[in-house]
Amino acid sequence: MQLNPRQLVTQFAHMLQQDLFPVLQSVCGPLSGQMQLLASVISLAPLGRLLSARRASTGRPAKDRAALATAFMAKAVLNLPTTRDLISRLRVDESLRQFCGWPTVRALPHESKFSRAFAEFADSELPQQLHEAVIAATQKERLIGHIARDSTAIPARESFTKQAQQNKAAGKEKAAKQRRNKARFAKAKATERGTRIQRQRHQKLARMLSDLPRQCDMGAKTNSQGNEQYWCGYKLHLDVADGQVPVSAVLTSASVHDSQVAIPLMTLTSERVTHLYELMDTAYDADAIHQHSRQLNHVPIIAPHPRRGTKKSSQLPKVFKTRTMVERVNARLKDEFGASHLRVRGAAKVMAHLMFGVLALTVDQWLRMSTPG
């Protein structure tokens, strides 16, 4: 008998409570809520399948990759600020250490090995693959009513002026003239090809994503009080399904406008789940976004931008109010799953750090769906 999504999550939660947690408690002692969540993430994430046997540059086998990946999941679940804090916790928390796969304190790798492993996970996009696998296992057979789309600011401890300083040092009048000519030529070519949103409608997903800027720079966004908020870093764009389950995520430069990521996100989400409505705020109110959403057999519900002068936001369907679920996910990601503790640099590592948190949040929200009410 094939189970529906609600029966599936209920059965999985029952297995955790009746079978897995008692075994773990007999070995590690009482489990806190965070440790239970970590056990659930480990149970769903297919580490063994995705972590292929690789050899280090020295020719020795790369050991402890599964343990290290589990430790970074624990870092997100426990909301620890730094890898050094994670190692300190592993030294004193025997149950956590056993969860990760290190029987003794002496078996813990050095901090440098944690850093090398994290760089490897970032390059191979392991957290993104784990999250995609969890979505496939838990959401593929589910008919989702609404997908809410929005972005959130990700401040980073990076300098975005390095390139500008290099240009200034080499800033001869001839070079400046060449840059101006090149910019005019690029603008003319872009006008011939159309805007980025218009080009995206005829591109493959990989091309859309590669065309989005990902370097650290300055961004500005209007907050709920109507004030401009500025930050140096990145933007995380999320598609969130009913039940506050993150389905897709894309990282861009902080200066990228939300509308530039709408078509790549809806294309990515459409490949992973089946949904009906797409809820977006005024930043996404563009004809190409409306048309592409309908082309994918979805119903776009987008708050009209004031420039259109059509209907008022108050005339939107009541279902539009559920769009706030993506804002709650953004808040939880920052408050509970490490998005506010960014200590790495570079888009690949930043995305890996954020996706470990998104992975943990996804499993947590999916399990909450088994609780009535």
Side-chain angles (χ1 to χ4, degrees):
M1 182 181 66
Q2 187 174 6
L3 301 178
N4 62 40
R6 173 56 67 91
Q7 292 171 333
L8 179 64
V9 65
T10 302
Q11 184 185 69
F12 183 76
H14 181 77
M15 289 175 56
L16 292 175
Q17 295 293 337
Q18 299 297 322
D19 300 327
L20 180 60
F21 292 162
V23 173
L24 293 175
Q25 288 173 351
S26 66
V27 177
C28 305
L31 301 178
S32 65
Q34 289 176 321
M35 295 301 290
Q36 290 181 5
L37 174 57
L38 178 59
S40 304
V41 176
I42 297 171
S43 301
L44 279 172
L47 272 177
R49 175 164 59 86
L50 294 178
L51 281 175
S52 58
R54 292 186 292 267
R55 291 187 176 272
S57 57
T58 58
R60 295 161 52 191
K63 298 180 179 179
D64 294 342
R65 284 302 181 262
L68 288 162
T70 305
F72 285 115
M73 293 180 196
K75 180 184 175 184
V77 170
L78 299 173
N79 200 19
L80 298 174
T82 65
T83 302
R84 192 164 296 175
D85 292 329
L86 171 63
I87 297 173
S88 299
R89 178 69 177 266
L90 287 167
R91 291 184 182 279
V92 300
D93 193 333
E94 182 178 359
S95 61
L96 177 61
R97 192 169 62 246
Q98 291 179 346
F99 260 61
C100 295
W102 292 298
T104 64
V105 175
R106 295 186 63 182
L108 286 175
H110 189 267
E111 183 180 350
S112 60
K113 187 170 185 179
F114 276 86
S115 298
R116 290 195 300 271
F118 184 82
E120 180 183 324
F121 297 153
D123 290 339
S124 63
E125 298 187 348
L126 175 66
Q128 292 93 309
Q129 295 178 50
L130 292 173
H131 178 256
E132 182 180 358
V134 168
I135 291 299
T138 62
Q139 308 295 314
K140 190 67 174 179
E141 302 301 324
R142 177 187 174 204
L143 177 60
I144 296 171
H146 311 96
I147 290 290
R149 182 169 297 124
D150 202 1
S151 69
T152 186
I154 305 295
R157 299 187 176 190
E158 294 185 49
S159 173
F160 70 97
T161 58
K162 183 176 180 180
Q163 186 64 43
Q165 292 172 351
Q166 292 175 351
N167 291 341
K168 184 177 180 180
K172 301 290 184 180
E173 183 178 354
K174 182 178 179 179
K177 184 177 180 179
Q178 290 176 345
R179 287 196 298 272
R180 289 194 296 270
N181 292 337
K182 185 177 180 180
R184 283 197 294 267
F185 177 76
K187 186 175 181 180
K189 295 294 290 183
T191 302
E192 294 175 6
R193 293 177 297 167
T195 65
R196 175 180 285 148
I197 298 178
Q198 292 170 342
R199 296 196 305 270
Q200 285 173 344
R201 298 204 60 201
H202 309 286
Q203 293 175 340
K204 300 291 186 180
L205 177 60
R207 179 64 183 275
M208 295 184 209
L209 295 175
S210 64
D211 190 43
L212 294 172
R214 297 186 69 197
Q215 73 276 5
C216 175
D217 64 6
M218 287 295 295
K221 199 170 187 178
T222 304
N223 59 24
S224 56
Q225 287 75 37
N227 301 320
E228 288 289 331
Q229 171 191 357
Y230 297 91
W231 76 97
C232 172
Y234 304 88
K235 261 186 185 178
L236 181 66
H237 306 259
L238 284 178
D239 268 9
V240 177
D242 290 330
Q244 301 179 37
V245 177
V247 174
S248 305
V250 172
L251 185 76
T252 67
S253 303
S255 60
V256 174
H257 194 267
D258 291 358
S259 62
Q260 308 293 301
V261 195
I263 292 178
L265 260 182
M266 67 175 64
T267 304
L268 180 60
T269 299
S270 298
E271 293 179 355
R272 296 183 176 182
V273 298
T274 303
H275 62 282
L276 304 178
Y277 298 92
E278 295 185 326
L279 312 178
M280 294 167 269
D281 61 19
T282 57
Y284 300 92
D285 188 17
D287 291 336
I289 296 176
H290 283 267
Q291 295 165 5
H292 198 78
S293 179
R294 293 191 180 95
Q295 181 179 325
L296 294 173
N297 297 320
H298 304 142
V299 179
I301 301 179
I302 307 176
H305 196 277
R307 71 175 181 275
R308 292 206 178 244
T310 53
K311 58 183 179 180
K312 298 180 179 179
S313 299
S314 59
Q315 297 175 343
L316 287 169
K318 291 183 179 179
V319 71
F320 185 75
K321 295 181 180 179
T322 62
R323 195 196 66 84
T324 57
M325 63 185 175
V326 67
E327 297 172 356
R328 293 194 291 273
V329 167
N330 287 332
R332 286 200 70 201
L333 190 62
K334 292 183 177 182
D335 295 341
E336 304 176 35
F337 295 97
S340 295
H341 306 310
L342 195 61
R343 300 292 188 272
V344 293
R345 297 181 179 181
K349 290 185 178 181
V350 169
M351 186 59 169
H353 173 86
L354 295 172
M355 286 307 297
F356 275 119
V358 171
L359 172 64
L361 175 58
T362 300
V363 176
D364 183 51
Q365 287 296 148
W366 183 66
L367 290 175
R368 289 187 179 198
M369 292 170 62
S370 65
T371 304

Tab-separated table of all heavy atoms in Angstrom, residues 257 281-286 302-313:
chain	number	residue	atom	x	y	z
A	257	HIS	N	18.952	42.039	-7.788
A	257	HIS	CA	17.532	42.272	-7.497
A	257	HIS	C	16.785	40.949	-7.428
A	257	HIS	O	17.099	39.998	-8.157
A	257	HIS	CB	16.913	43.169	-8.581
A	257	HIS	CG	15.582	43.732	-8.207
A	257	HIS	ND1	14.392	43.112	-8.551
A	257	HIS	CD2	15.240	44.840	-7.500
A	257	HIS	CE1	13.376	43.822	-8.090
A	257	HIS	NE2	13.856	44.873	-7.454
A	281	ASP	N	6.208	38.953	-3.600
A	281	ASP	CA	5.906	40.343	-3.280
A	281	ASP	C	6.130	41.228	-4.506
A	281	ASP	O	6.377	40.741	-5.615
A	281	ASP	CB	6.720	40.814	-2.074
A	281	ASP	CG	8.223	40.745	-2.318
A	281	ASP	OD1	8.641	40.694	-3.495
A	281	ASP	OD2	8.989	40.737	-1.335
A	282	THR	N	6.062	42.549	-4.309
A	282	THR	CA	6.095	43.488	-5.436
A	282	THR	C	7.413	43.465	-6.205
A	282	THR	O	7.449	43.872	-7.365
A	282	THR	CB	5.858	44.919	-4.932
A	282	THR	OG1	6.849	45.252	-3.936
A	282	THR	CG2	4.478	45.050	-4.316
A	283	ALA	N	8.500	42.998	-5.579
A	283	ALA	CA	9.790	42.971	-6.276
A	283	ALA	C	9.760	42.054	-7.492
A	283	ALA	O	10.584	42.186	-8.397
A	283	ALA	CB	10.887	42.533	-5.305
A	284	TYR	N	8.838	41.100	-7.510
A	284	TYR	CA	8.777	40.117	-8.593
A	284	TYR	C	7.703	40.463	-9.639
A	284	TYR	O	7.416	39.634	-10.507
A	284	TYR	CB	8.467	38.731	-8.015
A	284	TYR	CG	9.492	38.240	-7.031
A	284	TYR	CD1	9.339	38.478	-5.664
A	284	TYR	CD2	10.607	37.517	-7.445
A	284	TYR	CE1	10.273	38.024	-4.745
A	284	TYR	CE2	11.545	37.056	-6.540
A	284	TYR	CZ	11.370	37.320	-5.190
A	284	TYR	OH	12.302	36.862	-4.286
A	285	ASP	N	7.133	41.648	-9.563
A	285	ASP	CA	6.039	42.010	-10.462
A	285	ASP	C	6.599	42.433	-11.814
A	285	ASP	O	6.828	43.613	-12.091
A	285	ASP	CB	5.209	43.137	-9.839
A	285	ASP	CG	3.950	43.419	-10.642
A	285	ASP	OD1	3.570	42.559	-11.455
A	285	ASP	OD2	3.353	44.490	-10.454
A	286	ALA	N	6.814	41.435	-12.678
A	286	ALA	CA	7.294	41.674	-14.044
A	286	ALA	C	6.546	40.736	-14.985
A	286	ALA	O	6.226	39.600	-14.623
A	286	ALA	CB	8.802	41.440	-14.132
A	302	ILE	N	1.145	37.694	-7.317
A	302	ILE	CA	2.224	38.648	-7.057
A	302	ILE	C	1.622	39.993	-6.674
A	302	ILE	O	0.742	40.513	-7.378
A	302	ILE	CB	3.124	38.809	-8.298
A	302	ILE	CG1	3.616	37.434	-8.783
A	302	ILE	CG2	4.298	39.724	-8.005
A	302	ILE	CD1	4.435	37.487	-10.053
A	303	ALA	N	2.087	40.557	-5.582
A	303	ALA	CA	1.617	41.880	-5.179
A	303	ALA	C	2.004	42.896	-6.243
A	303	ALA	O	3.167	42.951	-6.658
A	303	ALA	CB	2.232	42.259	-3.835
A	304	PRO	N	1.069	43.705	-6.737
A	304	PRO	CA	1.375	44.644	-7.820
A	304	PRO	C	2.320	45.748	-7.362
A	304	PRO	O	2.214	46.258	-6.250
A	304	PRO	CB	0.001	45.203	-8.203
A	304	PRO	CG	-0.833	45.030	-6.974
A	304	PRO	CD	-0.345	43.776	-6.315
A	305	HIS	N	3.234	46.097	-8.229
A	305	HIS	CA	4.152	47.195	-7.942
A	305	HIS	C	3.425	48.521	-8.167
A	305	HIS	O	2.589	48.638	-9.071
A	305	HIS	CB	5.377	47.095	-8.852
A	305	HIS	CG	6.523	47.928	-8.398
A	305	HIS	ND1	6.622	49.268	-8.679
A	305	HIS	CD2	7.624	47.603	-7.667
A	305	HIS	CE1	7.737	49.744	-8.148
A	305	HIS	NE2	8.371	48.760	-7.534
A	306	PRO	N	3.712	49.552	-7.371
A	306	PRO	CA	3.024	50.850	-7.547
A	306	PRO	C	3.147	51.442	-8.942
A	306	PRO	O	2.277	52.201	-9.381
A	306	PRO	CB	3.717	51.743	-6.505
A	306	PRO	CG	4.202	50.801	-5.454
A	306	PRO	CD	4.577	49.547	-6.178
A	307	ARG	N	4.221	51.064	-9.663
A	307	ARG	CA	4.397	51.631	-11.009
A	307	ARG	C	3.306	51.184	-11.960
A	307	ARG	O	3.045	51.839	-12.977
A	307	ARG	CB	5.763	51.226	-11.568
A	307	ARG	CG	5.869	49.764	-11.941
A	307	ARG	CD	7.194	49.423	-12.612
A	307	ARG	NE	7.240	48.014	-12.971
A	307	ARG	CZ	7.604	47.033	-12.181
A	307	ARG	NH1	7.958	47.319	-10.938
A	307	ARG	NH2	7.623	45.774	-12.587
A	308	ARG	N	2.658	50.056	-11.638
A	308	ARG	CA	1.655	49.529	-12.556
A	308	ARG	C	0.337	50.287	-12.447
A	308	ARG	O	-0.396	50.393	-13.426
A	308	ARG	CB	1.412	48.046	-12.285
A	308	ARG	CG	2.604	47.179	-12.644
A	308	ARG	CD	2.161	45.780	-12.959
A	308	ARG	NE	3.301	44.956	-13.347
A	308	ARG	CZ	3.448	44.423	-14.536
A	308	ARG	NH1	2.552	44.653	-15.469
A	308	ARG	NH2	4.476	43.663	-14.811
A	309	GLY	N	0.012	50.756	-11.251
A	309	GLY	CA	-1.206	51.516	-11.063
A	309	GLY	C	-2.453	50.735	-11.374
A	309	GLY	O	-3.454	51.300	-11.831
A	310	THR	N	-2.429	49.419	-11.141
A	310	THR	CA	-3.609	48.592	-11.436
A	310	THR	C	-4.428	48.409	-10.172
A	310	THR	O	-5.045	49.334	-9.686
A	310	THR	CB	-3.169	47.237	-12.004
A	310	THR	OG1	-2.210	46.637	-11.109
A	310	THR	CG2	-2.510	47.421	-13.358
A	311	LYS	N	-4.431	47.219	-9.620
A	311	LYS	CA	-5.230	46.985	-8.423
A	311	LYS	C	-4.382	47.183	-7.176
A	311	LYS	O	-3.161	47.123	-7.204
A	311	LYS	CB	-5.784	45.562	-8.449
A	311	LYS	CG	-4.718	44.487	-8.529
A	311	LYS	CD	-5.369	43.120	-8.619
A	311	LYS	CE	-4.295	42.035	-8.717
A	311	LYS	NZ	-4.881	40.680	-8.810
A	312	LYS	N	-5.032	47.392	-6.060
A	312	LYS	CA	-4.346	47.584	-4.796
A	312	LYS	C	-4.001	46.227	-4.188
A	312	LYS	O	-4.623	45.210	-4.475
A	312	LYS	CB	-5.224	48.384	-3.827
A	312	LYS	CG	-5.558	49.781	-4.318
A	312	LYS	CD	-6.424	50.516	-3.304
A	312	LYS	CE	-6.749	51.929	-3.791
A	312	LYS	NZ	-7.609	52.640	-2.820
A	313	SER	N	-2.989	46.233	-3.301
A	313	SER	CA	-2.585	44.991	-2.646
A	313	SER	C	-3.715	44.417	-1.812
A	313	SER	O	-3.794	43.208	-1.605
A	313	SER	CB	-1.351	45.246	-1.766
A	313	SER	OG	-0.274	45.696	-2.555
